Amino acid sequence: MERRKVLRLFFVSSIAAVIAPKFSFAHLNPIEKLDFSSLDFGKDFKWGVATAAYQIEGAHNIDGKSPSIWDTFSHKKGAIKTGENGDIACDFYHSYEKDLDLLKSLNMTVFRFSIAWSRILPNGIGTTNQTGIDFYHRVIDACLARGIEPWITLYHWDLPQILQDKGGWINRDAVLWFSEYANLVTKTYGGKVKNWMVFNEPSAFTALGYLIGYHAPGLKGLKQYLPAVHHVCLSQAEGGRIIRKNVANANIGTTFSCSHVDVFNSKKRDGEAASRWDVILNRLFIEPALGMGYPTESLPILRKLNKYIQPGDLERLKFDFDFIGVQNYTREVVKANAFIPFMKGLEIKPVKRGAKEITEMGWEVYPEGIYKILKQFAAYPGVKKIFVTENGCAFPDEAVDGKVNDINRIDFYQRYLKEVLRAKKEGVNIGGFFSWTLLDNFEWNEGFKPRFGLVHVDFKTQKRIIKESGYWFKDFLLFL
Ligand code: BGC
């Protein structure tokens, strides 16, 4: 065994011997002998969870909150596979103190959450709702009181419905609406919160919500999608500038949903399809921010964006982010398909490819993918630092006698973390890892079925049970 490993084992076991009477190590490393520890990531590395307002808060229509596009969409017949909605979700609005206690008990020190725009600006712009503003003050204070860093995402998909009624992201005024909202949030909380993310996964909410209609607001077609892309891109940079102006010593980022793209086989047209898919998934929103413009050469249909680009816009798309949030779950395998007209690319379902390990979402477990995508993003000269702002998996967990034995999730995290560490050791500047997510919650158009949490939630009683994976993190992070 390598010397460093022997030393580490010695170190861990001697500490264990001293504190063993106080702590249980029953959960540590139940799957395989880990050949790394949390210490390998470094003392400054941040460990936490990521969440989103609509998925956990509930309290959808109280204390002055107005409906968001998700309130509207989830109430539409057939929009959510299970017929459920986020009206109550995890009731985090009322249980945040206890939920933050749970997070603290897992030895994690970052709570990433988003603000529900329509809770603090019920008209989208204009008059503020003090009760809503106070709620997030309480959440932030509750984090700080527990030694947990609050990391705020300005926008995690829940546009006020009243603004969607005016066209939402399709309307260029969205840049002004978003700027007003971002100004309010950063001026209000900027004294206490230093870590900020402008958007959660713009490629996901524009494509799912404005191109294929699977998510709110349920619109379809290029005519909706392309202007939404451009206005979101402008707002992304504008949001960065607003945070910089209003928050002293801010650490400013934005997050991207990204997956390594593989080609189905060696055919030329599959390769071309894969490169187009890579644009939509991974390149479309980061490259304009880095000053590279839209990746039109690799996806010619993007030339149609010119219709929405005004003089000075290309300059305004740039912002020098302090970090990039990489959110990765799986990989994509692409095969050409003439029936998908402008993309000519089709994602092949992992099952068809014979992948052995599939999560409840139908996503392939592919740990090496996170290593590859971290390398891909780190290769951009303008990317200074990366945080893994989401990674996790859904499995059909069951609570039996007050226990949730989610051994497959522990295995998932161990293997993904190993790949994150590999990238870090090879020089990728990675500052932290946030699990998706603390609580089982409302998984958008899938309803409550896919359970991603480190903590199991019984949605009838709101009872929480820390899963074995939660205990695994607790033990893994014990020595930090
Ligand atoms: C989103 C989350 C979502 C998770 C799992 C991410 O794309 O940011 O809101 O729940 O993936 O699907």
Side-chain angles (χ1 to χ4, degrees), residues 50-52 55 112 156-157 200-201 204 208 215 255 257 327 329 361 363 390 392 394 436-437 441-444 446 450 452:
T51 64
Q55 295 182 273
R112 175 182 168 224
H156 199 130
W157 306 359
N200 184 73
E201 301 186 349
L208 295 168
H215 276 195
T255 76
S257 141
Q327 318 207 141
Y329 292 83
M361 298 291 283
W363 298 342
E390 281 184 25
W436 183 267
T437 177
N441 62 37
F442 183 75
E443 178 53 32
W444 308 113
E446 304 280 333
F452 275 92

Side-chain angles (χ1 to χ4, degrees), residues 398-416:
E398 273 181 44
V400 180
D401 299 330
K403 261 188 107 177
V404 180
N405 195 14
D406 57 337
I407 205 129
N408 36 10
R409 183 170 290 103
I410 301 175
D411 180 55
F412 179 98
Y413 277 121
Q414 290 185 348
R415 288 156 65 201
Y416 271 72

